[in-house]
Amino acid sequence: MANEEDDPVVQEIDVYLAKSLAEKLYLFQYPVRPASMTYDDIPHLSAKIKPKQQKVELEMAIDTLNPNYCRSKGEQIALNVDGACADETSTYSSKLMDKQTFCSSQTTSNTSRYAAALYRQGELHLTPLHGILQLRPSFSYLDKADAKHREREAANEAGDSSQDEAEDDVKQITVRFSRPESEQARQRRVQSYEFLQKKHAEEPWVHLHYYGLRDSRSEHERQYLLCPGSSGVENTELVKSPSEYLMMLMPPSQEEEKDKPVAPSNVLSMAQLRTLPLADQIKILMKNVKVMPFANLMSLLGPSIDSVAVLRGIQKVAMLVQGNWVVKSDILYPKDSSSPHSGVPAEVLCRGRDFVMWKFTQSRWVVRKEVATVTKLCAEDVKDFLEHMAVVRINKGWEFILPYDGEFIKKHPDVVQRQHMLWTGIQAKLEKVYNLVKETMPKKPDAQSGPAGLVSGNQRIQVAKTKAQQNHALLERELQRRKEQLRVPAVPPGVRIKEEPVSEEGEEDEEQEAEEEPMDTSPSGLHSKLANGLPLGRVVGTDSFNGHPPQGCASTPVARELKAFVEATFQRQFVLTLSELKRLFNLHLASLPPGHTLFSGISDRMLQDTVLAAGCKQILVPFPPQTAASPDEQKVFALWESGDMSDQHRQVLLEIFSKNYRVRRNMIQSRLTQECGEDLSKQEVDKVLKDCCVSYGGMWYLKGTVQS
């Protein structure tokens, strides 16, 4: 208080904020000169600026008549830079160093706390600075002198050796092709010093006009440093509280944060990681670790994280392999990226890595040559796939890097079943792309599986014989059980089943059917089977192949959910093969929450019966004898009535394909015109074809039936 009394306020000055030059005002800091000499007294020959970089170059004259100027030194510098012959490109046309270039550099990147002040008539006018530039002498003329010197030396050497090199005109040239640049390499190149310097050099110079201190234009521009509303008008910009006013003048500094060392883009501390959303935390961890047990993931995320939320998030970025989570391929190889080794696109890399992951769902061991042979990828790409999830064992192959996690499998059966559905869909896609022999997906890989050493051929044959005998005994018991069930009098009244002796060939067919799919022994299953067969179809008068199952089988929650899925699916896609329908159903199961009723198990027969009950019909497409389509791909179902105006047109189209595997467009159009009794427009025909067909090689096929 005593200090304040000794320092009383003697004058109050009004402060105004001028904004006319707020985005245009720069402060130039020149090198120190004697007080008697200002830079405004020195003629400015030229000025130019690069606005984006805020870089300025000023060319100023040197007083060669000054007694402190060394004329001999000036002549020597001009001679070194331009040589003896002066022309238009010469830096010093007077053969004397009579000018000097000043180049700017930024003193600070944050100029928000600096302003230019103008005091006039008891008022202080502040204009924020857009930039502060320090001007330093540029010695680029020395670089030109060095370049001239090297050119002269090279010319002298070329003249001396030209007589000895008369026969060296032909030289061998090595041509190299650069590999496709990966996304990571491109980012490193863009952030490099050389690239930034090149970008800065490419920005064009903007030439400026220099006006001196006493020029009329300078005086006119100087008026913009005054606030236009200062006379009697309250400046609302400065009607602030004292704390807000100080904050505007001195904003908090961010230089301390900028001075901290920046970590690499692929390095993230746990403290930084836990500030991100849970989904991002899981994605970053899995992308860096590649393979992780669920227990380890929970320990990294912290004890306060809900395991159900983690389970929901991990399934979006990883797949379950032997009870452990392996990051998905599209996370490591995003769209529009390519291999740094071979340059193949990300789609091919994802497919190859999915094949490796799928092989590990069947066995703990994978052979690198087998993967390379199937995927047709280079050895470096295959090695990258395997190093993500396996370790190499000498004379054995690649073993999955983590042990089988049986505890997770037992604790989360719903997640395991959903992942099994996803792997089934991936397996079907891989078999189609790579033309693989169809294999059965194992439900639980053995934790100790894998060869302990090299297995001989006789041992393999012996193991195969043992398995065949065991399977034969199981099939015999299953066949006997099915025969007993068929004798149960569960046949509706009015239907008489003719019993015929079963031949050996029939027994083999039944054994094969029993191996592929378990028998549905429920009464509803038997009724649906009879309702869709020939005997009941003839009795009730329905379509012999597309009869509907009894209403009783649709009363269960599972049946209702399944029917809702089928109806919604066929409303979007009018024609589907059984193979495609099963794939869509597996994807639907993967999107359902754990414990849903549809996880109770849906057989192929139940799915087909539900399709028929939903108003669909099976189209008996006459596939060619040499077709490569599987049995499920040859079963084609179509929605018969959807309730729109095109139902009749689609029915005619489906009847055409029940007699023809492929049809030309003109035949379809003529048949539609003949059956519907009217000339259909091109748009109507296109709509029907788009709903049900695909075009390939000038012919039209039902969806899912074309074999390219």
Side-chain angles (χ1 to χ4, degrees), residues 132-149:
I132 301 177
L133 304 177
Q134 285 186 349
L135 294 171
R136 296 185 176 91
S138 174
F139 301 98
S140 57
Y141 60 87
L142 297 179
D143 297 333
K144 294 182 180 179
D146 292 341
K148 289 279 187 181
H149 179 67

Side-chain angles (χ1 to χ4, degrees), residues 583-618:
R583 187 186 70 83
L584 295 175
F585 182 64
N586 288 336
L587 294 177
H588 177 65
L589 285 180
S591 66
L592 295 177
H596 197 273
T597 55
L598 286 179
F599 284 111
S600 58
I602 305 296
S603 65
D604 288 359
R605 179 171 289 120
M606 185 176 181
L607 183 61
Q608 295 179 63
D609 293 343
T610 306
V611 171
L612 297 174
C616 301
K617 288 190 177 184
Q618 183 173 356

Side-chain angles (χ1 to χ4, degrees), residues 224-469:
Y224 288 112
L225 295 175
L226 299 174
C227 183
S230 61
S231 57
V233 181
E234 183 180 9
N235 193 345
T236 58
E237 292 289 339
L238 296 180
V239 181
K240 305 286 184 182
S241 65
S243 60
E244 292 175 338
Y245 177 66
L246 289 176
M247 185 66 69
M248 291 173 62
L249 289 180
M250 297 290 291
S253 176
Q254 300 178 356
E255 293 182 358
E256 295 181 1
E257 298 180 2
K258 294 181 180 178
D259 291 341
K260 293 181 180 179
V262 180
S265 59
N266 61 339
V267 176
L268 196 66
S269 67
M270 292 302 297
Q272 292 174 313
L273 182 69
R274 288 176 179 171
T275 61
L276 301 176
L278 179 61
D280 293 340
Q281 294 184 44
I282 297 173
K283 182 177 180 180
I284 291 173
L285 285 173
M286 291 306 305
K287 188 174 181 180
N288 284 274
V289 181
K290 308 292 191 304
V291 184
M292 191 186 307
F294 186 74
N296 290 14
L297 179 62
M298 289 300 299
S299 65
L300 289 173
L301 294 175
S304 61
I305 303 298
D306 183 19
S307 62
V308 177
V310 177
L311 273 176
R312 190 180 299 113
I314 190 66
Q315 295 182 68
K316 296 179 181 179
V317 298
M319 297 291 292
L320 191 65
V321 178
Q322 300 191 23
N324 301 283
W325 292 98
V326 182
V327 65
K328 289 184 176 180
S329 302
D330 55 359
I331 301 295
L332 295 179
Y333 303 106
K335 191 177 180 182
D336 298 331
S337 63
S338 59
S339 167
H341 306 295
S342 59
V344 300
E347 181 182 359
V348 180
L349 292 176
C350 290
R351 196 159 55 221
R353 188 173 180 275
D354 287 346
F355 175 75
V356 175
M357 294 168 62
W358 172 73
K359 291 293 289 183
F360 276 121
T361 62
Q362 296 188 326
S363 172
R364 287 196 59 81
W365 298 87
V366 166
V367 180
R368 177 176 168 179
K369 288 184 178 180
E370 178 188 354
V371 176
T373 303
V374 173
T375 60
K376 304 295 189 296
L377 292 172
C378 70
E380 289 81 3
D381 288 332
V382 176
K383 186 178 180 181
D384 283 351
F385 300 158
L386 293 170
E387 287 178 344
H388 289 168
M389 64 193 82
V391 291
V392 65
R393 306 294 186 195
I394 299 176
N395 295 331
K396 294 182 180 179
W398 290 78
E399 183 183 14
F400 192 68
I401 195 170
L402 294 178
Y404 175 75
D405 192 352
E407 182 179 353
F408 180 85
I409 299 294
K410 295 177 183 177
K411 192 175 180 180
H412 303 281
D414 51 344
V415 176
V416 174
Q417 185 174 3
R418 184 182 304 177
Q419 290 291 311
H420 176 72
M421 296 292 183
L422 290 175
W423 276 121
T424 303
I426 293 175
Q427 178 187 6
K429 185 184 297 184
L430 293 174
E431 288 172 352
K432 193 169 184 179
V433 172
Y434 293 132
N435 296 323
L436 303 178
V437 178
K438 192 168 185 179
E439 302 176 25
T440 304
M441 185 80 71
K443 295 182 179 179
K444 181 188 290 187
D446 185 7
Q448 304 298 332
S449 63
L454 295 177
V455 181
S456 65
N458 292 332
Q459 289 176 336
R460 292 184 179 180
I461 294 174
Q462 192 64 32
V463 171
K465 286 182 178 179
T466 304
K467 289 184 178 180
Q469 292 174 358

Side-chain angles (χ1 to χ4, degrees), residues 158-201:
D160 295 340
S161 60
S162 59
Q163 297 178 357
D164 301 330
E165 298 179 354
E167 299 180 358
D168 294 344
D169 295 333
V170 179
K171 295 183 179 180
Q172 183 178 359
I173 299 177
T174 303
V175 180
R176 295 182 179 179
F177 296 94
S178 60
R179 291 180 176 178
E181 188 177 32
S182 64
E183 183 65 21
Q184 292 83 357
R186 190 190 70 82
Q187 291 179 358
R188 288 195 298 268
R189 180 176 60 82
V190 169
Q191 296 174 0
S192 65
Y193 176 78
E194 182 181 359
F195 182 83
L196 294 177
Q197 289 295 102
K198 183 179 178 182
K199 292 290 290 184
H200 289 168

Side-chain angles (χ1 to χ4, degrees), residues 563-573:
K563 186 175 181 181
F565 161 76
V566 169
E567 290 176 345
T569 302
F570 274 93
Q571 285 293 337
R572 294 191 301 268
Q573 305 184 39

